[in-house]
Amino acid sequence: PYLFYALLLGIILRDSQKKSVIVKLPLLFLLWANIHGSFTIGLVVCMGFFIGSGILRFLHKSDFSVKPLAIALILSLSATLINPFGVHIYTEVLKHVDSEVVRTISEWNPVAYRPTCLACHFIGSYTAIVVIVFLLRHSIQDLPWILAIAPVFYLSLTARRFVPTLAIVSMPILGMFFQKYQWIKDSNIGTWLLLFGSIGSIVFAFVVLFPRYNLTSNSFEEYCKRMSSFSISCSAENAFCEFTFV
C-alpha cells in the first residue's frame, strides 16, 4: 500500500487545486480499493486535508480552491464502490480490523514500549521531529497537513503496521520545511539521504536484527514463539482452534 500513499501525496501536492485532480484521484482510489483495504486510510487522509483547507478558506487565511478537491473526493468515494463487493467492502474492512484473529498478528498490535523496541524509538523520535518542524514553521497554513497526519499518528499507536505509513504521510511537511534552506535545495542532500537511508536499513538488518533474533538459525516455530506476545500456537490452524469463539 505504500506506493498508493506516495501516489496520493503526489496528487495532493501537485493537483489538489487543478481540474486534473477530478480525474486522477478517483482513478487512484478505483485501483486502490480493488487491491488493498488501506484505501480507507487514504480517504481519511484526503478528507483531513480537505477539511483543513476548507477551514483556512473560511477564515480567509488561504485562497486555496477547495471545489476541485471536493468533487474529486465525492467521485473517489463512488469509485471505491466499483468492486466485486460493492458497498460491503467497507463492512469487510471493519470486520477485518475488529477481528480477534487479526490481534494474534504482531503487526496489528500496539507498540509496547521497552528499551529494545525499535518501533517505539522511531515513533518517539519521528513524532518529535514533526512536532518541532510544525512549531518552527509556526504557520496556520499547515493545518491541512496536521489534520491529514493526525489520524495516521493515532493508527500508528494502535497498530505497529501503520508506523511506516506515518513516516510516508508526514514527509511533505518535512520537505516543505527543508525547502526553505537554499543550501539544501542547491545540493543533492535529499538523494544522498535516501541512498544512505536505504543502505543503512539493509546493513542494520544484517548486522543488528539477524544476529539479535537468530533469524538464520531459528526454525519458524522458534522465531514465532520468541516474537509473539500470545500464548497460542504459531501454526495458523492450531491457533485458530485455540480461540474460545471457535
Side-chain angles (χ1 to χ4, degrees):
Y2 304 128
L3 174 61
F4 287 110
Y5 290 122
L7 291 172
L8 174 63
L9 293 176
I11 292 173
I12 290 176
L13 286 167
R14 295 184 178 185
D15 302 289
S16 55
Q17 296 190 72
K18 300 177 183 177
K19 290 183 179 179
S20 57
V21 73
I22 298 174
V23 176
K24 290 181 179 180
L25 203 62
L27 286 176
L28 173 66
F29 278 104
L30 173 63
L31 183 63
W32 197 346
N34 283 276
I35 292 179
H36 200 274
S38 60
F39 76 92
T40 50
I41 301 173
L43 287 172
V44 170
V45 169
C46 273
M47 288 178 183
F49 186 87
F50 170 73
I51 292 170
S53 301
I55 292 173
L56 291 182
R57 180 74 183 222
F58 178 76
L59 296 175
H60 303 291
K61 298 291 185 179
S62 169
D63 58 354
F64 186 95
S65 176
V66 296
K67 187 176 179 180
L69 187 55
I71 296 172
L73 268 173
I74 294 171
L75 293 177
S76 296
L77 282 167
S78 303
T80 62
L81 301 178
I82 305 174
N83 66 82
F85 306 100
V87 70
H88 295 295
I89 192 171
Y90 286 95
T91 56
E92 190 60 35
V93 169
L94 289 174
K95 281 198 300 184
H96 178 77
V97 173
D98 251 359
S99 171
E100 292 187 49
V101 175
V102 167
R103 290 302 170 184
T104 66
I105 303 173
S106 178
E107 67 173 14
W108 277 99
N109 282 274
V111 176
Y113 179 77
R114 56 184 185 275
T116 57
C117 174
L118 298 176
C120 301
H121 297 305
F122 174 82
I123 291 179
S125 303
Y126 198 81
T127 302
I129 292 171
V130 172
V131 170
I132 290 171
V133 166
F134 275 130
L135 293 176
L136 289 176
R137 281 174 59 83
H138 194 60
S139 172
I140 194 173
Q141 301 299 322
D142 292 336
L143 181 62
W145 287 110
I146 292 174
L147 296 184
I149 294 171
V152 182
F153 173 71
Y154 169 75
L155 288 173
S156 71
L157 296 178
T158 61
R160 65 190 69 180
R161 67 170 288 137
F162 296 114
V163 173
T165 306
L166 172 64
I168 294 171
V169 173
S170 53
M171 276 183 183
I173 196 66
L174 297 178
M176 291 177 209
F177 173 74
F178 289 114
Q179 212 173 26
K180 294 194 309 181
Y181 300 97
Q182 191 61 38
W183 66 274
I184 293 179
K185 292 172 68 175
D186 294 340
S187 66
N188 292 321
I189 189 170
T191 304
W192 285 108
L193 283 174
L194 182 62
L195 179 63
F196 283 120
S198 301
I199 296 174
S201 299
I202 296 172
V203 171
F204 179 78
F206 279 95
V207 175
V208 178
L209 291 183
F210 283 14
R212 177 179 170 186
Y213 296 115
N214 295 321
L215 298 182
T216 54
S217 58
N218 282 350
S219 67
F220 172 75
E221 188 74 18
E222 291 170 332
Y223 167 76
C224 183
K225 285 180 178 178
R226 183 174 181 178
M227 295 295 290
S228 176
S229 57
F230 298 93
S231 58
I232 60 173
S233 172
C234 288
S235 164
E237 182 181 359
N238 294 338
F240 188 80
C241 292
E242 289 175 23
F243 273 95
T244 55
F245 58 56
V246 178

